[in-house]
Structures are given as C-alpha cells and as structure tokens.
Amino acid sequence: MQSETPSKETISFEDFKTEVLEDYKIAVTSRECSLLGRREVLTGKAKFGIFGDGKEIPQLAMAKVFKNGDFRSGYYRDQTFMMAIGALTIQQFFAGLYADTSIEEEPMSAGRQMGGHFATHSLNEDGSWKNLMLQKNSSADISPTAGQMPRLLGLAQASKIYRNVEGIDAEMFSNNGDEIAWGTIGNASTSEGHFWETINAAGVLQVPMVMSVWDDEYGISVHAKYQTTKENISEILKGFQRDENNKAYEIIIVNGWDYVALVEAYEKASKIARTTHSPVLIHVKELTQPQGHSTSGSHERYKDEDRLSWERAYDCNVKFKEWIIENNFSTEEELDAIDKTIKKQVRDGKKAAWTAYSQPMKDKLKELLPLLKAAATDSSDEATIENLTKELSEIKDPLKKDLLVAARKSLRYLIGIDSDAKTKLANWITDYTNQSQPEYSSHLYSESENIAQNVDEIAAVYSEDSKDVDARIILRDNFDKIFETRPETLIFGEDSGEIGDVNQGLEGLQEKYGKLRVADVGIREATILGQGIGMAMRGLRPIAEIQYLDYVLYALQIMSDDLATLQYRTKGKQKAPLIIRTRGHRLEGIWHSGSPMGALVHLLRGIHILVPRNMTKAAGFYNALLKADEPALIVECLNGYRLKEKLPENPGEYTTPIGVVETIRTGTDITLVSYGSTLRLVEEAAQELEQVGISAEIIDVQSLLPFDLNQDIVKSVAKTNRLLVIDEDVPGGASAYILQKIVEDQNAYIHLDSKPQTLTAKAHRPAYGTDGDYFSKPSTEDIFEKIYEIMNEARPQDFPQLR
C-alpha cells in the first residue's frame, strides 16, 4: 500500500484532485507514446527506440518542484518529465523518433539525435542568450552513459557563483543562485567513473545538485548484483550522508511506484538544495522497464517469470491508478475513459508527426519523377532510367536518400549527352543536395555574428620602456586584467589557486579575486571540464585548466561527446563557450611531454584548437575568445614560461587572430610549417641552413582548428615550390592533417617541384631525459638534414649529398 495522502493546507481537495488527474493524464500519455513508439520502430518507420516507460511517476514528482531557471542534465528516458514541464508534445516525441530535420517540428535536435534525447532552447535565432529565468531548462542529452554527470556539476556550480560573486550581470541567468541542477541516471550507469567523480566533486564543492537514480535492477540484461556493491547505490553511498559536523549529501530513498512518497521526497530535496546548496541524492527504487531496454531486444530473454510478474504488479502507472481509485479521486470507469481518449490523442499526434516528416519528400518526388521521365527519353539506356523511376515511384514513403540515389544514378546514363532534360535533372540534384546537406551538417561551430574568426586583431602595444620579463608574467598580468574587467570570468584547476598554477601564470590572483574565481580543485579532469561546460551553459565565462596536455586524455570523452557536439546536436540552440587551458609539448618523460594533437584534431571537431608559440600569443587568444561564443582549447608551450618576452602595455586588450597563420621568417627555397615549441628548433635550423645557401620560409600555424582560413600557406608554396611540415606528434598525426589541408584543400600540389613531406616524432611516447627528447622528437639536426636532403634531390649540383 502506498503512503497516506498528505494533508493539503493550502490547496482544496478539488484542486488537489485536478492536479492528480492531470498527472495521471501525463503518465498515460507518456506510456502510450512509448508503446506506440516501439511499434513504429518494429514496423520500420523509425530506426531505433529507447523509451521512458516504467519511470513516469518519479518524473512527475520531479517536475512539480522544477522551477523556471532550473536546469536538467539527464538520462535518455526522461520523456515524462519533459512532457510534465511543457517542453515536449506528442507530435514532437514522434518527430524525434522519425528524425525530422525541422527544428520547428523536432525542437530537441532537429533529427540529429535518437529519440529520448531532450533539450530546450537557450539561444535566440541570432545566437544570443534567451532569458533562462523565464523558462525551464534542459541541457542537451548525450547517449554515453554517465556522460551527463560532469556537465551537471557545472550547471549546479553556476548557482553558487551567482550567489557568492559580486558584480556579475545575472538578470537572465540566476536569481541569487536559487536554481537547482537536476540530474538523472540509470542505476547501472552509476558504475561509471564519471558518476563517482561527479558525486565526490559535488560533495566537496557543496552545490545545489539533486541527483536521481532510476533503479530498475538491470543494466540492459545485466542484473544489479554485477553492477553495484551490495546491489544498492544508496547503501554504499552512506558515507556521503551529511551530519551536523560535516557538509556532504542528503540521501533520500523512495519507491518509484509511491506517488505520495515521491512528491514528498522531491519537495524535501528541492528545499534543501535550493536554500542550503547542499547536494541531494534520491535513490528511486523498485522501478520497472515494461518493454525492456530498447527496441533491440526483449527483456523476456533475461528476466524470469517471477520478476516479470512482479513488474506487472508494481508498474508505477498501475500502482498510481490503484491509488487514485482507492482515495476516491476517480473511478476505474472514468480512468478507462481517460485512457481511451489519450490513446486516440497519441495516435493522432503520431500521424501528424509522420505527415509533417514525410510530406516534403513526397512533394519532392512529384518534382523529380517528370524530370527522370524526360531524361530517360534522351538516354541511350532509356530502359535503365525507366526502371529506376519505376522503383522509386513504388516506394510508399520515400526518403531523401531514395530520391537522390535514383536521380544521381540516372545521370550516369546521360554521360556525353547535351540536353535540356539532363541540365534540369543535374540542377535538381545540385539544388536538393544543397538544400538537404545543411540539415545534417550545419552548426558544428557557432553561426552567430560572435564567431571567433570575426574578432578583429588588436596588436600588443610596446614602448621604449617595455621590459623583457619571464613569459609567465605576461600571462599573469593578462589574466589579472581579464578578472578585473570581466566579473563573469573564473578559472579553476589543479594547483591553479593558492600557488598560482604550477608555472606561476596565476601568481597572486586567488588572493586578489577570491577562492571562487581562482580556484583549486581535486585531481579529476573529467569534472573539471564538466564544471566549465555547465557554467558556460549558464552565461558565465569559465576557464578550465588541465595541468598538462597529457592529462586532457582523462577528459577527452567529455570534450568530444559533450562539448564539441553541443552546437551541432542542438542545431545552434545551446552553447557553452568554455576555454580550456593546458600546457604541453616538449618537457621530460612519457607522461609530461606528449603532443597528441592529431588525436585531438580528429576527436574535437566543434572546438577550436589553438597552439600559440609564446605567451603573448597565448594571452591574445584568451582575449579574443572572451569576445566570441565558441569553446576552445589553448595549449601553452610548457618550456616557454621562463623564456623572456617583452611585456605588452595593453594587457586584456590585444588579441591573436583565430584561424590565421603568421609568417615569422621569409624565404625562397622551401616553406616550413610548424607550431608551438617546435618552432624554436625550426628557427634555429633555418639560421643554420642559411649558412649553406638554403633560404627557408617559416610559417607558424597558430591555430589547428580552424586552419589557415585565408589560405596563406599555399601562397608561400607557390613562391618556394617545396613544403615540409614539422611536428612533434606521432607520424600520421597532426602533420598528416596539416598536409591534407595544404595540399588538398588549398591545392598546393600544383605548385610543388618536390614531394611534400613531414618530419615528426617517433611513433612511441617520448623517453625521459634530455637524450630521450633528442632521440624521440625532431631535433635541430633532424630538421636541417631533412631540408638539406630535399634540396639535394632538387638541386644536387648546389647541394651535394650530406652523407
């Protein structure tokens, strides 16, 4: 039996009854969507389905205390919650299942994500912020299990910053930090490291996070006994329970079929988190999964009859209906009538979604068929085109792919024919492709006016009195100016606070700006990134510091699956302009001198990757990015902090252009392309080459993503007719990417008189010590000899063999 009905001192019985019945309607609507959605997959109209059936009632309870300004970072089964907060309609649910590419029809992702992945719109059409305090917010879901957890931490921390840091314009983002970040996760996914890292970090930071664990005892087919010690996540988290002497978690345990207890649990959690900023974990037990994990298989394969029988009896919707009848809120007949009405509404919504999705293709089919018929009469293989046309016309619900396959194949049978019909068919293919491709490929990066490439270059200002200082001082003074003039900025990382980072680039800034804005954190790279993502999604401008480039690998999944895809998977409706600061390139040992730039370039499309050669350039990148609305990774040169640079007189103002290369030495015989610390060796080699009559032009890439937007490198190659890319990444890493951009994208091959080549590090990690560096990565001698070898092949009379 469920808990007794709570006393309602501020609401009449009739009003409470109305509220209960509205909840019932939402629960039934959500369940019917799940049931019909599965059938749509099994009949082939949708590709895959993963639904929220069995979790309806706890999600209704969560929705009751979810307020404007709050944020959800959730699990891909939260459809009932989204319906309850008014952010998901029946038709939108099915539009997501069909992958409708219209953002109006399918506002969650415009068909870019599978169904069950939800989001709200944080941005206006021009990319500017909406007032997030006037709406209930959901950060865009991702499929990787527990991947939503690090971002959840940052969404919660934003409230702490807004409550405790003065001077921030928070009107559209916070009301004194009263907002809660609500997380949801399946019980099996609590086995993931991201869950544990986030739980620990939230307890340390004391942020308003409410974490719901939907526990149905299984992870696909794997029972909880194989997932969780003691088969009980709240039991093993008891050590996190707060008490009068220790700030930690409030842990609440509640059955997922008990409507009243769930409402009370979420009201309690909301009050604690909203007022005290203590995190709360709600373990929602005894849930079911009526249709199994997904449309990929049946749960009857791994659940015995006893379990299936229990699930039928304790289905949360079944128990809710029983409770409503027992407490005289309605009769079984009235509820059955509601069920029948909702079934029709869901069918009608599904039909409307399918019509909206399929009709544009049918309209295009009507355009294409006469073009194909006309083309067939001009072809020497008329029968083949007619057969393609017939097959296409017989497809009941054609896809865009079906139309283009038929049209493009037909064009092959018109090779060598010059006719009006061929021209019209070719134009139709081009127009339809150009119309369709952006529906799948737009918004990898911001498409607003505030893109990083639009930030104008502002030169560093020097005078006769400008001092030569350790380069770290340039960074420190620039950060100082940033924090002084931009109260919404903050930086955090391992050793970033009290000692001012391991290389003293933040020296003294924590004392000046406080422990919230210049903060030390634990050794937990994934949630450092998550803090940054979540806070950036709520209007702050965080800089997340990863101590060394090698350690970025700990956070790579979050960077790749969450941050890099955010603009893309919401079709420009959410953004997180996070700056990631790290340091790397040449130092000592396998774990402190890696340069996995090729891996990062390939995994982080959607994030700018900037590789400044010195700290003045790095500072300029920070200044430029703070004027833009896109995420970026800045890799400072680890061996450059103690080198001398002139101190600019306009810190916080000068900018380094993004996506622009810089020629740092002119030459006529060969173009050398590199970046970061390796450039110093390239410059040394160029000076030595000059002594033997070789004139080398050196270009600093500066920015790997985006790459040479003005296509300046090919202009150099056109002059020198030779190209060498020097890189300390592994063979085929960033050097291969750079070569592809220059030779293929910029068509530099037409200017080459010698084979374009790369000079890279060895395939292994760098060995320890000075000699380890010398034999692992390109040296000045390696660079000199490689270039001399190229010139020997080109002009042997001028450059005899070296050895």
Side-chain angles (χ1 to χ4, degrees):
M1 182 61 64
Q2 292 189 325
S3 306
E4 293 298 316
T5 307
S7 61
K8 292 281 180 177
E9 297 178 357
T10 60
I11 187 171
S12 69
F13 177 82
E14 285 302 317
D15 288 340
F16 182 52
K17 173 183 173 179
T18 300
E19 181 181 323
V20 168
L21 292 179
E22 284 302 311
D23 283 347
Y24 179 77
K25 291 175 184 177
I26 295 170
V28 173
T29 299
S30 179
R31 178 64 60 89
E32 286 300 318
C33 285
S34 295
L35 296 173
L36 189 52
R38 183 180 180 87
R39 288 198 287 273
E40 290 298 279
V41 174
L42 297 180
T43 58
K45 282 188 173 180
K47 297 286 287 187
F48 179 79
I50 190 160
F51 306 109
D53 47 307
K55 281 70 179 179
E56 291 91 349
I57 307 307
Q59 292 180 29
L60 289 169
M62 184 170 78
K64 288 180 180 299
V65 288
F66 193 92
K67 296 184 177 181
N68 283 356
D70 285 0
F71 258 90
R72 166 190 167 273
S73 182
Y75 179 38
Y76 42 71
R77 297 194 188 276
D78 289 348
Q79 69 198 45
T80 310
F81 171 81
M82 295 298 288
M83 290 176 174
I85 65 169
L88 179 68
T89 68
I90 296 169
Q91 187 169 333
Q92 289 167 350
F93 172 88
F94 284 100
L97 201 61
Y98 302 141
D100 195 317
T101 56
S102 165
I103 195 71
E104 290 76 24
E105 296 292 335
E106 203 283 272
M108 302 302 140
S109 73
R112 296 180 177 190
Q113 298 213 88
M114 293 184 294
H117 294 69
F118 304 114
T120 53
H121 295 181
S122 299
L123 307 179
N124 297 307
E125 288 301 313
D126 62 358
S128 62
W129 289 106
K130 297 177 74 173
N131 189 331
L132 303 185
M133 295 304 297
L134 300 180
Q135 63 184 43
K136 296 176 172 64
N137 303 287
S138 174
S139 59
D141 295 338
I142 56 176
S143 291
T145 56
Q148 73 274 28
M149 293 292 296
R151 177 209 321 145
L152 172 66
L153 177 68
L155 290 169
Q157 189 183 4
S159 291
K160 184 171 185 175
I161 298 300
Y162 281 122
R163 179 171 289 185
N164 294 286
V165 174
E166 296 181 356
I168 304 174
D169 182 3
E171 181 180 357
M172 297 194 299
F173 305 105
S174 182
N175 176 26
N176 193 39
D178 288 347
E179 305 76 33
I180 294 174
W182 301 83
T184 65
I185 194 169
N187 59 297
S189 296
T190 63
S191 301
E192 293 277 12
H194 289 336
F195 173 84
W196 290 95
E197 191 172 313
T198 302
I199 289 294
N200 180 60
V204 170
L205 291 172
Q206 287 293 286
V207 291
M209 179 182 98
V210 178
M211 185 68 231
S212 296
V213 179
W214 307 143
D215 188 349
D216 58 27
E217 289 194 23
Y218 286 86
I220 307 183
S221 67
V222 181
H223 191 268
K225 64 186 177 184
Y226 301 111
Q227 306 275 4
T228 309
T229 302
K230 299 184 179 181
E231 301 180 33
N232 190 321
I233 190 63
S234 56
E235 178 68 21
I236 59 175
L237 285 174
K238 279 184 176 179
F240 284 80
Q241 175 66 51
R242 64 180 186 158
D243 56 41
E244 58 185 28
N245 298 316
N246 296 286
K247 291 182 178 180
Y249 274 79
E250 182 67 22
I251 298 176
I252 300 171
I253 304 167
V254 62
N255 288 328
W257 46 264
D258 191 334
Y259 176 78
V260 173
L262 285 162
V263 170
E264 291 175 340
Y266 278 92
E267 287 177 345
K268 178 181 178 182
S270 176
K271 184 176 180 180
I272 291 170
R274 217 176 285 281
T275 56
T276 70
H277 274 194
S278 292
V280 182
L281 183 130
I282 305 178
H283 184 189
V284 184
K285 300 172 63 178
E286 297 195 5
L287 286 169
T288 66
Q289 204 148 272
Q291 299 187 112
H293 175 263
S294 71
T295 53
S296 294
S298 170
H299 63 152
E300 284 84 358
R301 291 184 299 163
Y302 52 86
K303 293 177 183 175
D304 61 27
E305 184 51 41
D306 286 344
R307 173 68 192 188
L308 292 170
S309 177
W310 180 89
E311 289 198 5
R312 287 190 290 270
Y314 280 82
D315 182 306
C316 63
N317 282 16
V318 170
K319 298 295 285 184
F320 188 30
K321 188 173 185 177
E322 291 173 356
W323 178 81
I324 291 173
I325 295 168
E326 289 171 4
N327 285 274
N328 298 317
F329 290 111
S330 188
T331 65
E332 186 169 3
E333 291 74 20
E334 290 170 340
L335 296 181
D336 288 344
I338 290 173
D339 295 350
K340 185 176 180 180
T341 299
I342 288 173
K343 284 178 184 289
K344 184 179 185 304
Q345 290 173 351
V346 171
R347 287 196 300 271
D348 290 345
K350 181 215 67 161
K351 182 179 179 180
W354 180 253
T355 299
Y357 167 70
S358 61
Q359 191 60 49
M361 275 85 85
K362 292 178 180 178
D363 293 341
K364 282 294 179 181
L365 177 63
K366 291 177 182 178
E367 288 181 9
L368 178 58
L369 288 176
L371 297 178
L372 291 174
K373 291 176 181 177
T377 61
D378 290 347
S379 173
S380 59
D381 199 344
E382 182 176 358
T384 300
I385 297 181
E386 286 179 344
N387 188 51
L388 287 167
T389 304
K390 181 175 181 292
E391 290 176 355
L392 178 62
S393 64
E394 291 174 349
I395 299 174
K396 181 181 178 182
D397 295 302
L399 301 174
K400 296 171 188 173
K401 172 189 172 183
D402 297 323
L403 303 178
L404 284 169
V405 166
R408 293 169 75 179
K409 283 188 175 180
S410 295
L411 200 60
R412 299 174 192 174
Y413 300 100
L414 295 165
I415 293 174
I417 295 172
D418 185 12
S419 72
D420 184 58
K422 176 184 176 180
T423 299
K424 288 181 179 178
L425 178 60
N427 289 341
W428 186 94
I429 293 169
T430 299
D431 291 344
Y432 195 41
T433 301
N434 290 341
Q435 172 191 328
S436 299
Q437 191 64 56
E439 294 174 345
Y440 303 93
S441 301
S442 71
H443 292 90
L444 179 58
Y445 296 91
S446 171
E447 297 188 5
S448 77
E449 293 182 356
N450 296 318
I451 59 174
Q453 296 94 294
N454 286 350
V455 177
D456 293 331
E457 180 177 9
I458 299 175
V461 174
Y462 303 98
S463 68
E464 294 181 358
D465 298 326
S466 295
K467 302 177 183 177
D468 286 326
V469 297
D470 286 350
R472 71 173 186 86
I473 301 296
I474 293 172
L475 279 175
R476 184 199 65 186
D477 288 2
N478 195 73
F479 281 130
D480 188 8
K481 194 66 175 180
I482 286 172
F483 296 141
E484 177 189 323
T485 56
R486 294 177 173 268
E488 72 278 8
T489 57
L490 61 155
I491 192 166
F492 47 92
E494 297 156 12
D495 301 300
S496 299
E498 187 171 354
I499 68 169
D501 88 41
V502 290
N503 297 102
Q504 298 285 276
L506 298 168
E507 179 189 24
L509 298 187
Q510 184 183 81
E511 184 177 359
K512 187 172 184 179
Y513 296 103
K515 293 183 178 181
L516 287 177
R517 293 190 65 197
V518 184
D520 286 311
V521 301
I523 301 175
R524 46 173 183 79
E525 285 79 9
T527 44
I528 291 173
L529 256 294
Q531 285 177 248
I533 295 170
M535 286 192 280
M537 292 184 79
R538 291 190 57 194
L540 296 170
R541 293 307 308 263
I543 302 170
E545 182 171 326
I546 303 297
Q547 195 164 85
Y548 295 113
L549 181 59
D550 303 82
Y551 302 167
V552 165
L553 299 183
Y554 282 97
L556 191 55
Q557 186 267 323
I558 295 300
M559 293 170 67
S560 180
D561 289 335
D562 196 355
L563 181 60
T565 67
L566 181 60
Q567 284 261 1
Y568 173 77
R569 72 179 190 272
T570 62
K571 203 173 184 180
K573 296 304 181 183
Q574 292 187 358
K575 64 182 176 182
L578 168 64
I579 300 172
I580 305 160
R581 180 194 186 205
T582 190
R583 49 193 67 81
H585 308 311
R586 313 177 82 113
L587 188 63
E588 299 293 348
I590 291 175
W591 312 118
H592 291 80
S593 56
S595 293
M597 304 309 300
L600 298 179
V601 162
H602 288 96
L603 290 169
L604 301 183
R605 302 297 170 97
I607 299 175
H608 294 322
I609 298 180
L610 310 177
V611 282
R613 69 179 181 271
N614 59 38
M615 301 311 158
T616 304
K617 291 290 184 180
F621 278 139
Y622 289 113
N623 297 336
L625 288 167
L626 287 170
K627 296 181 179 182
D629 66 353
E630 297 170 292
L633 169 68
I634 298 178
V635 184
E636 299 168 6
C637 293
L638 189 48
N639 57 5
Y641 294 103
R642 302 293 173 179
L643 298 179
K644 299 296 183 182
E645 295 181 36
K646 281 204 177 296
L647 182 66
E649 297 187 349
N650 57 335
E653 298 176 7
Y654 58 90
T655 60
T656 306
I658 292 169
V660 178
V661 303
E662 182 177 358
T663 300
I664 58 178
R665 181 186 176 100
T666 59
T668 57
D669 291 326
I670 189 169
T671 298
L672 308 179
V673 178
S674 190
Y675 60 87
S677 296
T678 303
L679 274 167
R680 298 191 193 100
L681 304 184
V682 174
E683 288 183 280
E684 290 176 13
Q687 293 174 3
E688 296 172 3
L689 286 162
E690 191 172 33
Q691 297 171 12
V692 297
I694 297 173
S695 173
E697 183 148 298
I698 302 175
I699 297 180
D700 178 8
V701 167
Q702 297 198 105
S703 170
L704 288 169
L705 288 177
F707 183 87
D708 190 11
L709 295 173
N710 298 327
Q711 299 205 346
D712 289 325
I713 297 177
V714 70
K715 300 169 189 173
S716 172
V717 176
K719 176 176 65 173
T720 67
N721 308 119
R722 278 169 280 277
L723 171 66
L724 177 66
V725 177
I726 304 102
D727 179 30
E728 62 175 73
D729 197 358
V730 297
S735 60
Y737 162 78
I738 293 170
L739 201 61
Q740 183 268 331
K741 299 296 285 186
I742 299 169
V743 174
E744 185 177 333
D745 287 3
Q746 298 187 12
N747 292 321
Y749 71 93
I750 63 176
H751 303 295
L752 290 170
D753 293 337
S754 298
K755 179 178 73 174
Q757 297 188 54
T758 65
L759 178 61
T760 70
K762 298 298 185 287
H764 53 74
R765 295 287 185 101
Y768 173 62
T770 301
D771 283 344
D773 177 85
Y774 187 81
F775 285 96
S776 300
K777 294 189 174 186
S779 65
T780 302
E781 290 70 38
D782 292 332
I783 299 167
F784 179 98
E785 291 173 7
K786 184 70 170 180
I787 296 166
Y788 191 90
E789 176 187 309
I790 293 171
M791 297 306 300
N792 164 253
E793 180 185 53
R795 290 157 45 191
Q797 70 279 7
D798 295 329
F799 304 104
Q801 282 193 350
L802 192 61
R803 55 179 173 176

